Amino acid sequence: MSVKVRFAPSPTGRLHVGNARLALVNFLFARKQNGIFQLRLDDTDIERSTEDNARAIERDLAWFGLRHDEFARQSDRLDRYELAAERLRASGRLYPAYESAEELSLKRKAQLAGGKPPRYDRAALRLTDAERAQLEASGRKPHWRFRLDDAPREWDDLVHGPTRVAGSDLSDPVLLREDGRPLYTLSSLVDVLELGITHVIRGEDHLTNTAAQVQLFEALGGPVPVFAHLSLLTDASGGKLSKRAGALSLEALRDEQGIEPLALASLLARLGTADPIEPRTSLEAVIEGFDLSRFGRAAARFDDEDLVRINARILHALPYEAIAPRLGALGLSAVDRDFWNAVKPNLTRFDELATWWSVAQGPIAPVIEEAGFAVEAATALADEPFDADTWSRWTASLKSRTGRSGKALFRPLRLALTGREHGPELKVLLPLIGRDRALARLRGETA
Ligand code: GLU
């Protein structure tokens, strides 16, 4: 049996790191088993779903490198959910209930106050035909609930291990809203069955619903898929991540923080496992190192600092070939292998390459602290052409002329030539700066 998984976001907002992790784990699981990765848009909530979000989700996943093999959207499949509901009605498992949201909330409060679990009391099942007719005549429209049986269901969750929940501990789930539209439990389940999903890998927030869903799979006569419920991401101190969903959207990580997709993948493929986080410079390497069985039940802490650190480590490891196709977009087509190799150890994000390029090309404001030394340095600078040895010859001659060495020699030269205390090796920058610009900078001119 070949593996098929799905990532099923609702296009009611942008993807954030929590979604990205689920998408990635599904993708990696599929790739590792030569299976199929499906993207499914859960867009039955028409008030909150937007096309803009749907397009952003596809864009974000493409940026992340998670190409889907199959695509489905629930708004295309409403007739399938209606048919399934029809079958459940015919078998007596789907029943109309008329309570308003407020009535249900009052019932829940009363149960909690009495120390009881908040479970739907099935009052709707005790309505007589006459009472039902009266409610309908008064304009009430029913929502539809799936009647669970009391028996426990057990499944072997790939993360949580054997898990057992009794139907008697659960509320009959609502499958259809008053307006006839399906809710997640029904639509998601019908999709699993009809689209041949073998493994449902999703967030732990869906764990308790699973027992009800197992009953629904049975009622619809389909095989129960394998489940894996991943622990949710928390922030570095164990708090809820959702509060920062905006700042942690893939868009913000990409556009505002300059995070590399491989940095995110390297981190998210390991968060929630005891394995070390290793920077991977290709998605193939992330796939290679992935193992779902390594994921545990403990909360997975997401720390922005880790992401920034791993981002830098990935940039430092990327060969010129990997970045060459991206240079044009930054207007840096002239950047060659030597420049990349010289500058990359200084990068924490890719677009800083432009900063170093402009340090070489100018104009920059030099910093001259000792005018006398700058004059001396200008006098000792060789004629062009400059090459990779120009810098060491220049500094050697300055050393013997002035007796300076170490910091006293190098710091003023760096400040004059780049206007900064730190940066890439000057032996690589100097030929790019060139003699005229170097002399102008040594004179203190912006060049
Ligand atoms: N649309 C659901 C969600 O975002 C999908 C959950 C699932 O994978 O079953 O929570």
Side-chain angles (χ1 to χ4, degrees), residues 370 373 404-413:
E370 299 159 84
F373 178 66
R404 287 179 189 241
S405 63
K407 198 174 170 196
L409 174 65
F410 296 117
R411 184 170 175 274
L413 292 175

Side-chain angles (χ1 to χ4, degrees), residues 124-137:
L125 282 178
R126 296 188 294 275
L127 291 173
T128 63
D129 287 349
E131 285 166 328
R132 244 193 314 273
Q134 200 181 7
L135 281 164
E136 305 238 349

Side-chain angles (χ1 to χ4, degrees), residues 6 8-10 40 42 184 188 200-202 205-206:
R6 85 289 190 276
S10 306
R40 185 184 86 204
D42 284 2
Y184 162 77
S188 158
V200 171
I201 306 172
R202 60 185 174 187
D205 46 338
H206 291 285

Side-chain angles (χ1 to χ4, degrees), residues 233-243 301:
L233 290 190
T234 67
D235 65 18
S237 54
K240 265 198 160 183
L241 207 57
S242 52
K243 281 184 256 141
R301 288 173 190 244

Side-chain angles (χ1 to χ4, degrees), residues 222-295:
V224 178
V226 179
F227 290 100
H229 288 93
L230 296 186
S231 62
L232 300 183
L233 290 190
T234 67
D235 65 18
S237 54
K240 265 198 160 183
L241 207 57
S242 52
K243 281 184 256 141
R244 298 181 47 217
L248 295 176
S249 70
L250 264 57
E251 272 178 1
L253 293 178
R254 174 183 66 223
D255 300 338
E256 287 157 33
Q257 296 198 48
I259 295 299
E260 299 288 311
L262 284 169
L264 194 61
S266 299
L267 181 68
L268 294 181
R270 286 287 166 85
L271 277 192
T273 74
D275 298 333
I277 291 160
E278 291 154 319
R280 308 279 193 184
T281 53
S282 73
L283 203 51
E284 288 67 40
V286 182
I287 296 168
E288 185 61 34
F290 175 78
D291 182 354
L292 185 66
S293 71
R294 308 292 298 161
F295 283 76

Side-chain angles (χ1 to χ4, degrees), residues 70-87:
E70 244 184 62
F71 177 79
R73 64 192 303 162
Q74 293 196 323
S75 56
D76 289 341
R77 300 180 34 80
L78 294 174
D79 53 340
R80 305 304 308 169
Y81 313 138
E82 185 45 48
L83 274 175
E86 218 28 78
R87 281 172 54 206

